[in-house]
């Protein structure tokens, strides 16, 4: 087998956008902070969170707004962030694996239902859609869902998130995964844009909805059933502007009866999304869901 390039070599080979090109006033403003060489970590985080609050680039953010009606402060407490800067990229798997396990241990207590892994590097931020960018994004995805590597384009990869119920039992909920990247700006994949480089968004609407009840939080009106779109992790379009593809590759929207006692059979496509899979305490860090092709 030919030797694979290192992360540093892959970053150095990334085709870049034209010098001086921007990504819209909102992302350009976030980059002033996020990509500054002397920026403090708390300032980078604040700039990204402010952008996310305004843009809501994924269906989970819209789902939370519909179901929870929580303040921005409380919503931040339900989101775990893992930052991978240039110095961290060479040890990405080790760093992300530890953060992933810590997130799941908070999730089992109902403290978090969303995770954002941010690979922040100027070369990633200014990379244009290309075969090289697609390959490095597949590599970065492997630092998170290592059990699923190697990754295919146009495929849905679900994460698993544990939650301890009021009776002490533990259930495992499906969590959607989605790759966001700065170079999506202005193209057919515009909804996946994010400042700073590349990020993997992981979230579980069913886990979130059930955790509200456990924490004694009353959901917003009309939230008994809410839409949530399941997306592929790495889209074909990241390798270029594929005019023949639809704007978003997606397996479609689920109508999640998250706040009702309805149970779903294993054969039901909503199984695991809104009613969890019972597990033992020794399985809280496992992920049993198989990848599926988008339909």
């Amino acid at each position: 087998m030919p030797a694979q390039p290192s992360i540093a070599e892959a970053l150095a080979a990334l085709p870049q956008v034209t010098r001086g090109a921007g990504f819209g006033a909102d992302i350009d403003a976030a980059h002033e902070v996020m990509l500054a060489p002397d920026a403090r970590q708390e300032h980078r985080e604040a700039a990204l969170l402010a952008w996310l609050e305004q843009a809501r680039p994924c269906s989970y953010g819209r789902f939370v707004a519909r179901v929870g009606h929580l303040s921005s402060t409380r919503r931040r407490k339900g989101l775990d962030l893992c930052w991978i800067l240039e110095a961290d990229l060479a040890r990405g798997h080790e760093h992300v694996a530890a953060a992933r396990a810590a997130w799941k241990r908070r999730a089992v207590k109902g403290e978090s239902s969303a995770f954002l892994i941010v690979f922040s590097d100027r070369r990633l931020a200014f990379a244009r859609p290309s075969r090289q960018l697609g390959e490095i994004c597949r590599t970065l995805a492997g630092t998170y869902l290592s059990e699923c590597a190697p990754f295919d384009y146009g495929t849905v990869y679900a994460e698993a998130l544990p939650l301890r119920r009021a009776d002490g039992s533990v259930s495992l909920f499906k969590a959607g995964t989605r790759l966001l990247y700065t170079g999506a700006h202005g193209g057919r994949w515009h909804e996946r844009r994010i400042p700073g480089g590349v990020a993997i968004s992981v979230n579980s609407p069913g886990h979130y909805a059930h955790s509200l009840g456990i924490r004694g939080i009353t959901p917003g009106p009309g939230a008994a059933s809410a839409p949530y779109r399941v997306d592929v992790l790495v889209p074909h379009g990241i390798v270029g502007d594929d005019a023949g593809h639809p704007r978003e590759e997606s397996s479609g929207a689920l109508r999640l009866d998250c706040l009702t006692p309805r149970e779903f059979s294993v054969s039901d496509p909503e199984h695991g999304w809104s009613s969890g899979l019972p597990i033992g305490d020794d399985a809280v860090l496992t992920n049993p869901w198989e990848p599926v092709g988008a339909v």
Side-chain angles (χ1 to χ4, degrees), residues 66-67 219-226 255-260:
R66 164 80 183 272
V67 174
S225 179
R255 289 300 298 190
L256 298 178
D257 293 317
C258 292
L259 306 177
T260 72

Side-chain angles (χ1 to χ4, degrees), residues 113-178:
S113 301
F115 192 31
L116 188 65
I117 306 97
V118 183
F119 301 93
S120 188
D121 183 276
R122 178 171 290 273
R123 291 161 296 183
L124 286 173
F126 286 87
R128 62 177 174 81
S130 60
R131 178 188 59 79
Q132 294 94 325
L133 179 59
E135 289 305 303
I136 200 170
C137 283
R138 291 172 66 194
T139 298
L140 295 177
T143 68
Y144 178 70
L145 288 176
S146 56
E147 69 272 17
C148 297
F151 288 84
D152 293 325
Y153 294 106
T155 301
V156 175
Y157 294 90
E159 170 65 294
L161 201 58
L163 180 65
R164 190 175 303 280
R165 299 180 183 270
D167 63 2
S169 65
V170 181
S171 293
L172 209 56
F173 290 86
K174 282 182 179 177
T177 63
R178 191 172 193 241

Side-chain angles (χ1 to χ4, degrees), residues 153-155 179 181 189 192 232-239 248-249:
Y153 294 106
T155 301
L179 188 135
Y181 57 108
W189 312 92
R192 290 180 179 253
V232 303
L233 178 55
V234 185
H236 288 285
I238 205 168
V239 303
E248 280 289 336
E249 286 189 56

Side-chain angles (χ1 to χ4, degrees), residues 9 22 26 31 41-42 51 66 68 77 133 140 146 153 167-168 170 184 198 206 211 229 233 247 263 269 272 274 283:
E9 292 170 331
D26 57 340
H31 279 174
Q41 182 58 32
E42 58 265 32
W51 184 87
R66 164 80 183 272
K77 290 180 180 178
L133 179 59
L140 295 177
S146 56
Y153 294 106
D167 63 2
V170 181
V198 172
S211 72
R229 189 176 63 208
L233 178 55
R247 174 131 185 180
E263 296 292 333
S274 53

Side-chain angles (χ1 to χ4, degrees), residues 59 226-231 250-256 269-270 273 295:
S59 58
Y228 174 78
R229 189 176 63 208
V230 181
D231 289 305
S250 167
S251 65
L254 298 174
R255 289 300 298 190
L256 298 178
E270 295 192 11
W273 289 106
V295 294

